[in-house]
Amino acid sequence: MPASKRDVVRMVLEHKRPPYVPWHFGFTKEALEKLQNHFGTNDIEPFLDNHFVGLGEQIGFLTDIGNDRFQDVFGVVWDRSVDKDIGNVEGCILNTPSLDGYEFPDPLDERYFENIPKQLEKYPDSFRLYYLGFSLYERAWTLRGMENLLTDFIVNPEFVHSLLGTIADYNIAQVKKALSYDIDAVYFGDDWGQQHGLIMGPALWKEFIYPQLKRMYSVVKDAGKFVIIHSCGDVDELFDDLIEIGLNCFNPFQPEVMDTEHLMKQYRGRLSFHGGLSTQKTLPYGSIDDVRNESKRLIELGSAGDYIFAPAHDVEGDVPLENMLAFIQEAQKQKL
């Protein structure tokens, strides 16, 4: 009997050679609409044959408050007049470096868990990921403001430790509940990188971010599950530290900011990667042949293991339909 998609992803994360390179693709609203129109249905999953089933809610639940504004469960207002997928933070919840008077939402809100049984029943052979977006630094700056938080690292360090610790407590409570279901991994989303280097620099990352990551990852590892993270930007200088505290797989693996081929070889047997196909150059600006050739190269590099094929981020609306179909087809050719 052929290995299930769930088993194939597990092989990759356990540093074994899989029967083929698994894949999982994500799309922004504009790109998704192109594929939905092409396939003639809103449910394009049967045409993608993705290997993950996503559980939980990556960015939480938002309430439409009008005029393209949405409020999340933390009270943060997002302006989606331009960015329709996430939006831009409007205003500041924590106007002073203090949590006095602010109450965190309920981490055990049933909405995060109510669809898990149905999703597992619908996709029984898929690898099961519980998503936690904005899982630490990003949650902190959306509450406090980016400039304020970066200043607080220097001027109000005790407040930053308190804020990040409280966010980690919230996440840990939610993760423990998620672990009561038959999941395979927890996926933490938290962007630390820029096009060149870390937003806060390595010293501040190690002092403030690392201890809370270690706490959160240990809960997952102690339960015998995998840790997967998403962190945009040039962050490969952190890989050794992240592996030390339990990281199994890194996404989005952007070729514009890191040497993907070198890193796949350097970390083989220690860290798996998910992503790698250029969303800044090849997909929006390359030809169909460019996309096919880059996809084939990545799949070949990943054939020995430690790799899940995908674009380096959710595909944007500026990518031609033909280029999207090209990388989908290249992945699926492996199973023909």
Side-chain angles (χ1 to χ4, degrees):
M1 179 182 293
S4 69
K5 290 189 285 188
R6 189 181 188 189
D7 289 337
V8 172
V9 174
R10 282 174 169 168
M11 289 180 199
V12 168
L13 300 184
E14 291 169 352
H15 313 299
K16 300 173 183 176
R17 188 182 188 100
Y20 61 88
V21 174
W23 62 85
H24 189 85
F25 310 136
F27 303 88
T28 62
K29 288 184 177 179
E30 292 179 348
L32 180 60
E33 286 174 0
K34 290 183 182 181
L35 289 170
Q36 289 171 332
N37 290 334
H38 173 76
F39 290 116
T41 177
N42 287 335
D43 182 10
I44 65 168
E45 183 53 39
F47 300 96
L48 300 178
D49 199 23
N50 272 328
H51 282 58
F52 301 162
V53 54
L55 309 169
E57 182 63 35
Q58 288 197 56
I59 59 174
F61 298 93
L62 293 98
T63 301
D64 188 343
I65 59 175
N67 198 31
D68 287 323
R69 267 62 176 178
F70 295 80
Q71 188 170 46
D72 67 25
V73 295
F74 287 83
V76 175
V77 174
W78 297 84
D79 175 358
R80 288 186 170 179
S81 57
V82 177
D83 179 355
K84 304 297 184 182
D85 289 272
I86 299 177
N88 297 305
V89 173
E90 192 172 80
C92 180
I93 296 294
L94 300 177
N95 290 306
T96 62
S98 171
L99 287 172
D100 291 347
Y102 178 76
E103 184 175 347
F104 270 67
D106 181 6
L108 305 182
D109 186 326
E110 279 303 317
R111 291 178 295 175
Y112 290 106
F113 312 103
E114 61 187 4
N115 287 331
I116 291 179
K118 185 168 67 175
Q119 286 292 91
L120 296 184
E121 182 180 357
K122 185 176 181 180
Y123 302 105
D125 73 331
S126 295
F127 185 82
R128 298 146 180 216
L129 271 185
Y130 187 83
Y131 284 103
L132 264 177
F134 297 93
S135 61
L136 191 63
Y137 169 73
E138 285 187 309
R139 184 63 68 199
W141 77 251
T142 62
L143 289 168
R144 177 71 174 124
M146 177 76 78
E147 291 184 13
N148 289 338
L149 183 66
L150 292 175
T151 303
D152 289 335
F153 278 125
I154 307 300
V155 179
N156 301 299
E158 290 308 311
F159 163 70
V160 177
H161 282 300
S162 176
L163 175 59
L164 295 176
T166 306
I167 293 169
D169 290 343
Y170 172 92
N171 291 336
I172 287 169
Q174 193 170 118
V175 165
K176 286 182 176 179
K177 172 72 172 179
L179 289 167
S180 69
Y181 297 89
D182 185 17
I183 65 171
D184 296 309
V186 176
Y187 180 110
F188 297 91
D190 205 33
D191 292 343
W192 309 312
Q194 308 175 105
Q195 204 73 356
H196 299 287
L198 303 179
I199 297 169
M200 72 296 291
L204 291 175
W205 182 90
K206 192 66 179 285
E207 179 182 351
F208 291 95
I209 307 296
Y210 177 86
Q212 304 304 335
L213 297 180
K214 186 175 182 179
R215 289 179 61 214
M216 294 191 295
Y217 294 3
S218 68
V219 174
V220 181
K221 301 303 289 186
D222 288 349
K225 309 299 182 181
F226 298 103
V227 172
I228 301 177
I229 70 165
H230 165 97
S231 190
C232 286
D234 178 16
V235 300
D236 57 281
E237 65 190 281
L238 304 177
F239 286 169
D240 289 329
D241 283 332
L242 291 166
I243 292 168
E244 181 181 284
I245 57 175
L247 180 64
N248 298 108
C249 183
F250 174 81
N251 167 275
F253 204 37
Q254 297 164 260
E256 293 82 12
V257 300
M258 53 184 69
D259 186 337
T260 52
E261 181 172 352
H262 172 74
L263 289 169
M264 286 172 75
K265 293 176 180 177
Q266 178 182 352
Y267 285 97
R268 180 153 287 148
R270 298 177 62 206
L271 180 64
S272 300
F273 296 99
H274 171 218
L277 179 60
S278 170
T279 54
Q280 290 179 272
K281 297 177 181 178
T282 307
L283 283 178
Y285 304 118
S287 66
I288 295 173
D289 284 342
D290 291 335
V291 174
R292 290 193 182 281
N293 289 337
E294 182 64 9
S295 300
K296 289 175 182 175
R297 186 184 73 84
L298 287 166
I299 290 169
E300 176 60 30
L301 282 170
S303 61
D306 287 316
Y307 181 59
I308 300 164
F309 174 61
H313 208 284
D314 284 356
V315 177
E316 296 282 355
D318 59 352
V319 175
L321 172 65
E322 293 76 15
N323 284 3
M324 289 190 259
L325 296 175
F327 72 74
I328 294 169
Q329 290 163 1
E330 289 303 320
Q332 294 177 348
K333 279 180 182 178
Q334 299 178 86
K335 295 175 71 174
L336 296 178

